[in-house]
C-alpha cells in the first residue's frame, strides 16, 4: 500500500523540483519544496483517483455528493502524507535533502474556505467518507480569498485578505474540459413543440464554472475522493466586435460577474446575509454542481430516471437549498420529465442537515431578488410552494400551520422549508438539537412527515485531531491498546479506561500534556512574543466570536477572579492562564467589542504585579485550523459555555476531549452526549438547561435583579463598565447586559443568570486541578470515551440511515 520508500520519494521530489521549477534540491526554496511535495503526493492520489472512478462506474455504485458552501480544509501536506502512510518517509526525505521538515509543513497556507464548525465538519466528513471507501465528492466554491486573516492592532481586530492560492493551489487540478455554464437573469420564452411546453432562458448572463479538483486520500485504503471547487470565468474574452452588434455590455456584464462570484468567502458564521452576490454564489455553485452530477450520471446510465438510485445529495445547511429547484429544472426542461416524475426523483435524492436554530441564521431570500436573478428557478419554486401548501392545508386545515410551513410567504423564500419539502431526510447535529428541531423549530413539518426527521451527532476526524497532531498521546494509546487499531476503530479508545487506576500510565499522560504545553509555549513565544507559564492551567476558549457562545461570560468570571486577587493576593495559589482565540464577523460590532475587551483585560492583568504567575489572559490572533492543531494537545480546560439550546452541536468540544482536556460546559449541543458517556464526575457541568432557558424567558427575565442582589456580579459589571488601564470603557456591553440595546432584550443570552453557577464550576475545576492524580484520571477517561465523537461513526450513520450506501 505504501507508495514510496524514503529513497524513491527523494527521487520523485528531486525530479519534480527539476521539472517544475528547474531547480536542483540544494537550490530550491522552502516554498518550491512544499509545492514539489504536494505535487508528488497529488500524482499518487490522482492515479488512484482514476482507479476509484473506474471501479465506481464499473460496479454502478451509488455516489454521495456532499454540497457545502464551506470546506475548512486547513493544511493538506501532513494530512495526505499521513493517510498515504508516507509521513515518516517524507520527513526523512526532506531532512536528507537538506530541508527542515517542520518548516516545509509550516509554510503551507491553510485552505480557509470556511468560517468555523460547519466548514470544518465538511472537511472531516470528506476524510471519513474516503476512509470508509464511500464513493463521494465534496463540492464548494474555489474562493480566491478564504476567511480573512485576523490581526490585533491596539486591541482591536483588523481583517486582512487571505490570499491562499499562491502555494495552496499546488493541490488543485483545474479541469477546463469539465466546465459548466450557469445562467443568471434574462427572460423566459415558452413554446410548444412535440406536445411539450418548452421553456428557454434568453439574454441571460452566462458565467463559466470551471472545476478545480482537490484529490483527497483516505487512511488505510487506496480509495480516493475529490473535492470539486468551482472557479468562475467569463464564457468568452471580451471581444470588440461584439460592440458593433450591441452585445458589448452583455459581455462586460458577464466578465464583471465572473470576476466577483468566486472572489471571497462570506465571513458571517451562524448569520444570514441577504446580499445578492451571496445568492449568486449559491446558485452558481448549485447549478454547476447539479449539471456536473447529471452529466456524469447520463454518461454512465443514458437516462436520469434512475438518478435517485445512484446518487444522493447531502446539503450542509440551507446554503445549497437551490439544488431542489435546480434538479427539477434539469429533469423537466432538459430531460423532458413531467412534474410528478421529476419531483419523485428529486425528493428521493436530496437530504438536508440543519445547523442552527438561531432565527438570524435562517435564510429567507427576498422573492423579487430570486425572481429577477433566477427567473426559471423562481417559477419552479412557486410551483413547489403551491403544491406543498396544498398538501399542508389538506393535512392540517390550520392557517397557522400553513403559514409556518410555507415556502414562499410575504415576499420571501424560506430556504429551510424548501429543503424540508424537497428532501427525503432532515437531520440535526446532536441529540438535543434534533429534539429541538422536532419539537419546536420544525414541529409542524415533523407532525406531517415524521419519518424525515433524524439525528446524526457530529464527529471529528480523529486521525487528524488526535493521532496526527498529538504524537505523544498517539504513542501512549498504541502502547495501551496494543497497536493502531483505534485509527480505524475509534471505539477501541475505550480500552484506556482499564488504566484509570494505573499510576504509571497517569504519570505518563501528565508528562505528555506537559510536553505539549511547553511546545505550545515555545510556539507562542516565537510567533507572538507571548510568555506562557507551562505550570499554569491552560484554560481555553477558541471558536468563532458570537454572543450565544458567551465569551463574555468567561470574561466576567476572569474579572471576578482578578478582583478577588486584588482583595487577597493569596486567593489564587494555582497559576491560571486563560487563552482565547476567535474571529468576529467584520460587520458584527458587538463581537468586535468583546475581542477588544478581552485584550483590554489581558493588558490590565499583564500590568498588575499581583497577578504575576497567578493570572494571565492571552488573546491568540488569527484562530484557524492550523492554530487549533497546535493548541488542542496543550489544552487542559475546554470552555463550552453556550446558552443551553443555542449551540447545535459544537465540534471544538470534541477536539479538546480527545486530547484529554476537561470540559466546563452547559448541557448544550453535543456536550449533552459527552455528559452521557462521562457522567457528572468527569466534567464540570453548570447552568440552566434548555427547557429552563425557555421557561425563564417566558416568565420574563430581569437581569437587573441579579445585579442588585449579587455583590460579586455587580462589582464585576461595574468594572467592565468603567474599563481598564487602557482607558477604553465598555458601557455599551454593560448596557446590553442590563437593559438591552438595538432591539435585543437585556442579557439575551442569560450570562447573568448563569454567572454564579459558572463561577462555582470554575472553582470545582481549580480544586480538582490540585489533585493531580484525580485530574489525570479524568483526563484519561475523557480520551477513552471520546471514540463516539469520531467522524467515522457519524459518516457511517449517514451512510446507513440516510444515504443507504455500503461502507467499510
Ligand atoms: C473545530 C473548529 C471550529 C468549531 O469550534 P466550535 O467550538 O465547535 O464552535 C471553529 N474553527 C476552527 C478553526 C475549528 O478547527
Amino acid at each position: 500500500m505504501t507508495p514510496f520508500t524514503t529513497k524513491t520519494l527523494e527521487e520523485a521530489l528531486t525530479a519534480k523540483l527539476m521539472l517544475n521549477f528547474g531547480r536542483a534540491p540544494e537550490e530550491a526554496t522552502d516554498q518550491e519544496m512544499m509545492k514539489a511535495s504536494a505535487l508528488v503526493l497529488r500524482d499518487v492520489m490522482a492515479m488512484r483517483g482514476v482507479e476509484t472512478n473506474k471501479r465506481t462506474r464499473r460496479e454502478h455504485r451509488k455516489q454521495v455528493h456532499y454540497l457545502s458552501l464551506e470546506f475548512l480544509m486547513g493544511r493538506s501536506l501532513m494530512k495526505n502524507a499521513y493517510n498515504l502512510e508516507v509521513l515518516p518517509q517524507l520527513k526523512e526525505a526532506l531532512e536528507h535533502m537538506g530541508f527542515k521538515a517542520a518548516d516545509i509543513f509550516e509554510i503551507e497556507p491553510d485552505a480557509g474556505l470556511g468560517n468555523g464548525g460547519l466548514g470544518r465538519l465538511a472537511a472531516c466528513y470528506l476524510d471519513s467518507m474516503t476512509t470508509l471507501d464511500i464513493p463521494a465528492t465534496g463540492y464548494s466554491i474555489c474562493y480566491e480569498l478564504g476567511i480573512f486573516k485576523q490581526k490585533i492592532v491596539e486591541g482591536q481586530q483588523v481583517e486582512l485578505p487571505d490570499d491562499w492560492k499562491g502555494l495552496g493551489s499546488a493541490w488543485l487540478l483545474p479541469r477546463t474540459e469539465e466546465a459548466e455554464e450557469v445562467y443568471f437573469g434574462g427572460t423566459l420564452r415558452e413554446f410548444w413543440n412535440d406536445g411539450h411546453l418548452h421553456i428557454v432562458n434568453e439574454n441571460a448572463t452566462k458565467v463559466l464554472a470551471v472545476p478545480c479538483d482537490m484529490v483527497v486520500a483516505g487512511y488505510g485504503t487506496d480509495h480516493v475522493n475529490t473535492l470539486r471547487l468551482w472557479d468562475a470565468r467569463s464564457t468568452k474574452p471580451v471581444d470588440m466586435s461584439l460592440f458593433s452588434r450591441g452585445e458589448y455590455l452583455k459581455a462586460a456584464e458577464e466578465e464583471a460577474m465572473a470576476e466577483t462570484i468566486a472572489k471571497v468567502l462570506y465571513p458571517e458564521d451562524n448569520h444570514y446575509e441577504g446580499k445578492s452576490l451571496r445568492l449568486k454564489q449559491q446558485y452558481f455553485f448549485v447549478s454547476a454542481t447539479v449539471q456536473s452530477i447529471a452529466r456524469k450520471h447520463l454518461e454512465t446510465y443514458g437516462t436520469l430516471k434512475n438518478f435517485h438510485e445512484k446518487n444522493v445529495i447531502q446539503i450542509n445547511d440551507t446554503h445549497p437549498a437551490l439544488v431542489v429547484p435546480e434538479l427539477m429544472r434539469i429533469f423537466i426542461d432538459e430531460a423532458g420529465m413531467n412534474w410528478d416524475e421529476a419531483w419523485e426523483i428529486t425528493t428521493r435524492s436530496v437530504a438536508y442537515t440543519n445547523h442552527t436554530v438561531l432565527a438570524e441564521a435562517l435564510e429567507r431570500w427576498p422573492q423579487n431578488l430570486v425572481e429577477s436573478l433566477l427567473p426559471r428557478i423562481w417559477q419552479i419554486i412557486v410551483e413547489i410552494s403551491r403544491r406543498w401548501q396544498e398538501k399542508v392545508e389538506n393535512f392540517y386545515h390550520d392557517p397557522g400551520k400553513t403559514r409556518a410551513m410555507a415556502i414562499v410567504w410575504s415576499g420571501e423564500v424560506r430556504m429551510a422549508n424548501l429543503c424540508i419539502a424537497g428532501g427525503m431526510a432532515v437531520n440535526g447535529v446532536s441529540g438535543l438539537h434534533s429534539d429541538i428541531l422536532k419539537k419546536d423549530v420544525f414541529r409542524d413539518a415533523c407532525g406531517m412527515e415524521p419519518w424525515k426527521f433524524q439525528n446524526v451527532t457530529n464527529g471529528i476526524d480523529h486521525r487528524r485531531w488526535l493521532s496526527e497532531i498529538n504524537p505523544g498521546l498517539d504513542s501512549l494509546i498504541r502502547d495501551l491498546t496494543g497497536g493502531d487499531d483505534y485509527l480505524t476503530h475509534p471505539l477501541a479508545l475505550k480500552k484506556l479506561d482499564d488504566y484509570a487506576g494505573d499510576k504509571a500510565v497517569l504519570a505518563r499522560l501528565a508528562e505528555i500534556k506537559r510536553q505539549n504545553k511547553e511546545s505550545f509555549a515555545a510556539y507562542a513565544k516565537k510567533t507572538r512574543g507571548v510568555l506562557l507559564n507551562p505550570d499554569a492551567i491552560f484554560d481555553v476558549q477558541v471558536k468563532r466570536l458570537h454572543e450565544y457562545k458567551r465569551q463574555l461570560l468567561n470574561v466576567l468570571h476572569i474579572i471576578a477572579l482578578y478582583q478577588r486577587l486584588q482583595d487577597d493576593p493569596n486567593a489564587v495559589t494555582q497559576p491560571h492562564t486563560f487563552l482565547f482565540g476567535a474571529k468576529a464577523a467584520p460587520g458584527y460590532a458587538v463581537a468586535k467589542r468583546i475581542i477588544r475587551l478581552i485584550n483590554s483585560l489581558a493588558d490590565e492583568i499583564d500590568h498588575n504585579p499581583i497577578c504575576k504567575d497567578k493570572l494571565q489572559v492571552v488573546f491568540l490572533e488569527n484562530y484557524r485550523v492550523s492554530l487549533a492543531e497546535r493548541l488542542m494537545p496543550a489544552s487542559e480546560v475546554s470552555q463550552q459555555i453556550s446558552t443551553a439550546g443555542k449551540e447545535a452541536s459544537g465540534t471544538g468540544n470534541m477536539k479538546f476531549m480527545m486530547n484529554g482536556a476537561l470540559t466546563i460546559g452547559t448541557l448544550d449541543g453535543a456536550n449533552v452526549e459527552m455528559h452521557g458517556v462521562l457522567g457528572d464526575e468527569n466534567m464540570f457541568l453548570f447552568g440552566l438547561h434548555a427547557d429552563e432557558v425557555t421557561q425563564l424567558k417566558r416568565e420574563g427575565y430581569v437581569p437587573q435583579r441579579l445585579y442588585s442582589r449579587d455583590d460579586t456580579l455587580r462589582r464585576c459589571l461595574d468594572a467592565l463598565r468603567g474599563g481598564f488601564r487602557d482607558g477604553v470603557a465598555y458601557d455599551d456591553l454593560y448596557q446590553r447586559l442590563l437593559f438591552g440595546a438595538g432591539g435585543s432584550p437585556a442579557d439575551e443570552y442569560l450570562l447573568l443568570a448563569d454567572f454564579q453557577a459558572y463561577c462555582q464550576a470554575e472553582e470545582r475545576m481549580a480544586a480538582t486541578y490540585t489533585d493531580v492524580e484525580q485530574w489525570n484520571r479524568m483526563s484519561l477517561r475523557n480520551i477513552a470515551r471520546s471514540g463516539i465523537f469520531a467522524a467515522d461513526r457519524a459518516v457511517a450513520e449517514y451512510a446507513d440511515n440516510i444515504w443507504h450506501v455500503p461502507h467499510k
Side-chain angles (χ1 to χ4, degrees):
M1 203 115 61
T2 300
F4 292 111
T5 63
T6 303
K7 184 162 172 293
T8 58
L9 184 52
E10 196 173 324
E11 286 161 5
L13 290 170
T14 305
K16 198 54 98 176
L17 279 174
M18 295 207 287
L19 289 168
N20 279 61
F21 307 108
R23 298 272 212 183
E26 58 275 18
E27 310 168 311
T29 63
D30 281 1
Q31 281 84 351
E32 287 163 338
M33 195 64 223
M34 185 268 139
K35 276 202 165 187
S37 306
L39 292 172
V40 166
L41 298 191
R42 195 186 79 176
D43 287 346
V44 176
M45 295 188 292
M47 282 192 281
R48 292 186 179 181
V50 173
E51 284 311 308
T52 300
N53 292 337
K54 261 196 217 160
R55 175 166 174 223
T56 303
R57 272 200 303 273
R58 188 175 62 233
E59 298 176 8
H60 286 184
R61 293 172 58 170
K62 187 172 183 181
Q63 289 178 260
V64 175
H65 306 280
Y66 196 94
L67 272 63
S68 178
L69 271 117
E70 305 187 15
F71 272 86
L72 193 53
M73 298 294 282
R75 291 174 176 155
S76 291
L77 183 55
M78 189 183 284
K79 176 73 201 177
N80 283 327
Y82 185 95
N83 277 356
L84 293 169
E85 295 179 69
V86 293
L87 185 54
Q89 292 88 330
L90 178 60
K91 286 179 179 168
E92 225 176 88
L94 290 172
E95 299 281 343
H96 192 238
M97 294 169 85
F99 292 84
K100 290 195 82 168
D103 293 350
I104 301 301
F105 292 123
E106 188 61 25
I107 211 167
E108 182 180 3
D110 279 37
L113 310 183
N115 277 287
L118 173 148
R120 184 53 230 173
L121 187 79
C124 286
Y125 283 3
L126 200 52
D127 182 273
S128 284
M129 289 188 291
T130 314
T131 299
L132 297 185
D133 280 0
I134 296 171
T137 309
Y139 299 86
S140 196
I141 291 176
C142 196
Y143 302 106
E144 200 174 306
L145 305 173
I147 187 65
F148 63 85
K149 284 188 188 153
Q150 180 193 55
K151 281 235 165 273
I152 300 297
V153 179
E154 292 173 3
Q156 292 178 278
Q157 169 174 299
V158 173
E159 301 97 23
L160 298 174
D162 167 44
D163 189 1
W164 68 285
K165 269 162 99 180
L167 277 177
S169 65
W171 297 108
L172 301 176
L173 274 167
R175 293 200 180 272
T176 40
E177 75 285 2
E178 293 191 32
E180 303 286 352
E181 275 190 359
V182 179
Y183 286 43
F184 293 96
T187 48
L188 301 179
R189 188 167 62 83
E190 307 188 355
F191 62 93
W192 286 88
N193 191 20
D194 298 341
H196 283 289
L197 178 65
H198 293 258
I199 298 183
V200 287
N201 191 346
E202 293 178 331
N203 301 310
T205 304
K206 295 175 204 158
V207 179
L208 199 65
V210 179
C212 285
D213 288 351
M214 187 186 281
V215 193
V216 299
Y219 177 75
T221 174
D222 285 349
H223 187 94
V224 304
N225 281 321
T226 299
L227 172 58
R228 172 154 280 199
L229 299 171
W230 295 102
D231 196 4
R233 314 253 173 90
S234 58
T235 52
K236 45 193 171 295
V238 177
D239 172 357
M240 289 312 284
S241 72
L242 292 171
F243 195 81
S244 53
R245 288 189 269 137
E247 288 170 28
Y248 182 78
L249 283 174
K250 182 100 253 161
E253 200 178 321
E254 291 190 354
E255 194 170 61
M257 179 110 78
E259 269 173 21
T260 55
I261 253 177
K263 192 71 177 182
V264 60
L265 167 80
Y266 272 85
E268 287 80 22
D269 185 66
N270 266 307
H271 197 279
Y272 159 66
E273 285 292 309
K275 301 277 171 21
S276 90
L277 178 58
R278 173 68 171 176
L279 185 62
K280 287 177 193 161
Q281 286 188 338
Q282 293 184 349
Y283 184 67
F284 166 78
F285 160 61
V286 160
S287 181
T289 301
V290 173
Q291 290 185 66
S292 162
I293 298 170
R295 187 181 309 283
K296 289 188 184 195
H297 181 89
L298 270 175
E299 279 169 17
T300 311
Y301 300 98
T303 174
L304 291 177
K305 294 195 187 253
N306 64 342
F307 185 87
H308 57 292
E309 290 166 12
K310 298 299 171 189
N311 299 282
V312 54
I313 294 176
Q314 185 69 45
I315 61 176
N316 202 22
D317 216 322
T318 59
H319 315 148
L322 293 171
V323 284
V324 173
E326 180 67 3
L327 277 169
M328 291 295 286
R329 184 186 71 77
I330 287 175
F331 292 152
I332 295 172
D333 295 356
E334 294 184 13
M337 292 183 199
N338 65 37
W339 183 279
D340 290 331
E341 191 180 12
W343 185 246
E344 179 73 16
I345 299 173
T346 299
T347 51
R348 287 165 149 221
S349 303
V350 176
Y352 155 55
T353 303
N354 172 282
H355 280 274
T356 179
V357 300
L358 300 182
E360 66 270 25
L362 293 182
E363 292 190 293
R364 299 172 319 252
W365 288 102
Q367 153 178 346
N368 49 35
L369 184 60
V370 179
E371 192 170 357
S372 60
L373 194 65
L374 311 167
R376 179 58 182 144
I377 291 300
W378 167 246
Q379 275 188 339
I380 293 170
I381 290 173
V382 168
E383 183 60 12
I384 293 172
S385 176
R386 191 188 66 74
R387 289 174 182 239
W388 177 249
Q389 182 165 330
E390 199 169 274
K391 184 170 167 174
V392 174
E393 280 165 353
N394 290 335
F395 187 84
Y396 278 121
H397 307 287
D398 177 345
K401 306 225 188 271
T402 300
R403 177 168 37 126
M405 289 171 69
I407 295 170
V408 178
W409 194 266
S410 66
E412 290 180 328
V413 185
R414 300 172 180 168
M415 305 315 263
N417 288 351
L418 176 62
C419 294
I420 294 168
M424 56 178 172
V426 179
N427 77 281
V429 289
S430 73
L432 175 69
H433 170 59
S434 296
D435 283 344
I436 293 172
L437 292 184
K438 284 185 254 193
K439 293 189 184 132
D440 183 10
V441 186
F442 300 142
R443 188 185 57 224
D444 299 332
C446 186
M448 189 168 87
E449 301 183 321
W451 60 87
K452 281 189 183 176
F453 290 81
Q454 300 199 36
N455 173 249
V456 183
T457 300
N458 281 168
I460 58 171
D461 170 5
H462 72 294
R463 288 169 291 273
R464 179 186 285 258
W465 290 110
L466 197 172
S467 329
E468 194 190 313
I469 65 172
N470 198 341
L473 183 55
D474 172 67
S475 86
L476 176 62
I477 294 167
R478 286 168 193 253
D479 290 351
L480 299 183
T481 63
D484 63 2
D485 183 50
Y486 89 100
L487 292 174
T488 46
H489 300 96
L491 291 177
L493 288 169
K494 194 83 216 298
K495 292 185 194 147
L496 298 188
D497 255 344
D498 299 345
Y499 298 88
D502 186 325
K503 290 191 181 177
V505 167
L506 296 180
R508 198 171 148 197
L509 183 63
E511 181 52 29
I512 292 162
K513 185 62 80 178
R514 172 78 195 192
Q515 289 287 327
N516 291 338
K517 286 170 76 180
E518 284 177 8
S519 308
F520 188 79
Y523 170 80
K525 178 159 180 244
K526 186 170 156 207
T527 57
R528 289 285 318 279
V530 185
L531 290 179
L532 297 176
N533 174 5
D535 291 327
I537 308 175
F538 279 18
D539 186 332
V540 186
Q541 188 172 23
V542 285
K543 48 183 73 249
R544 284 299 289 256
L545 211 136
H546 207 296
E547 286 163 281
Y548 84 82
K549 292 177 182 279
R550 301 202 293 190
Q551 281 94 351
L552 187 52
L553 177 59
N554 192 342
V555 169
L556 290 180
H557 165 256
I558 299 169
I559 295 175
L561 205 57
Y562 177 55
Q563 292 176 331
R564 179 134 55 97
L565 200 55
Q566 281 174 300
D567 294 346
D568 171 12
N570 298 317
V572 173
T573 45
Q574 171 60 51
H576 200 154
T577 294
F578 292 89
L579 297 156
F580 289 86
K583 287 177 182 173
Y588 190 174
V590 178
K592 289 183 146 181
R593 289 288 289 163
I594 295 170
I595 289 178
R596 191 166 195 192
L597 168 63
I598 296 167
N599 284 299
S600 290
L601 181 60
D603 167 77
E604 169 82 12
I605 288 173
D606 223 25
H607 284 84
N608 190 329
I610 294 175
C611 299
K612 185 161 163 40
D613 285 329
K614 295 218 159 95
L615 185 57
Q616 187 182 22
V617 175
V618 174
F619 189 93
L620 301 164
E621 77 183 5
N622 203 26
Y623 181 58
R624 61 198 186 282
V625 172
S626 57
L627 183 56
E629 288 171 348
R630 291 190 175 272
L631 186 56
M632 293 299 162
S635 297
E636 295 177 293
V637 177
S638 161
Q639 297 277 348
Q640 308 300 336
I641 60 177
S642 53
T643 316
K646 299 292 183 193
E647 185 75 271
S649 164
T651 48
N653 46 3
M654 302 168 186
K655 299 168 196 165
F656 282 105
M657 181 187 186
M658 252 178 211
N659 285 279
L662 304 192
T663 301
I664 295 187
T666 47
L667 271 178
D668 198 15
N671 296 355
V672 176
E673 281 132 285
M674 287 172 52
H675 177 248
V677 293
L678 292 171
D680 285 340
E681 63 279 18
N682 290 301
M683 66 190 289
F684 304 99
L685 214 56
F686 75 95
L688 296 170
H689 298 187
D691 52 350
E692 294 167 335
V693 167
T694 317
Q695 169 99 9
L696 181 56
K697 291 217 163 173
R698 202 174 27 231
E699 287 166 356
Y701 169 56
V702 187
Q704 295 100 297
R705 286 193 201 134
L706 294 163
Y707 175 85
S708 1
R709 224 184 284 151
D710 181 338
D711 296 339
T712 312
L713 177 61
R714 186 170 58 252
R715 199 173 154 205
C716 178
L717 287 166
D718 290 345
L720 165 80
R721 182 183 203 180
F724 303 99
R725 67 183 281 285
D726 62 7
V728 184
Y730 294 92
D731 184 54
D732 52 339
L733 296 178
Y734 172 90
Q735 296 292 336
R736 279 187 89 76
L737 289 176
L738 286 176
F739 308 103
S744 54
D747 192 17
E748 187 173 4
Y749 296 100
L750 306 182
L751 280 65
L752 275 52
D754 273 341
F755 178 75
Q756 277 303 340
Y758 180 56
C759 291
Q760 285 159 15
E762 277 280 345
E763 273 177 38
R764 275 183 279 141
M765 183 280 290
T768 309
Y769 195 85
T770 59
D771 184 346
V772 175
E773 198 180 306
Q774 171 66 1
W775 183 274
N776 292 328
R777 183 174 303 114
M778 288 169 71
S779 173
L780 186 79
R781 293 214 149 110
N782 269 262
I783 301 162
R785 298 169 196 191
S786 67
I788 60 161
F789 297 114
D792 290 356
R793 184 272 312 152
V795 164
E797 288 181 14
Y798 278 99
D800 293 339
N801 304 329
I802 297 178
W803 303 335
H804 306 294
V805 297
H807 60 84
K808 227 166 51 184

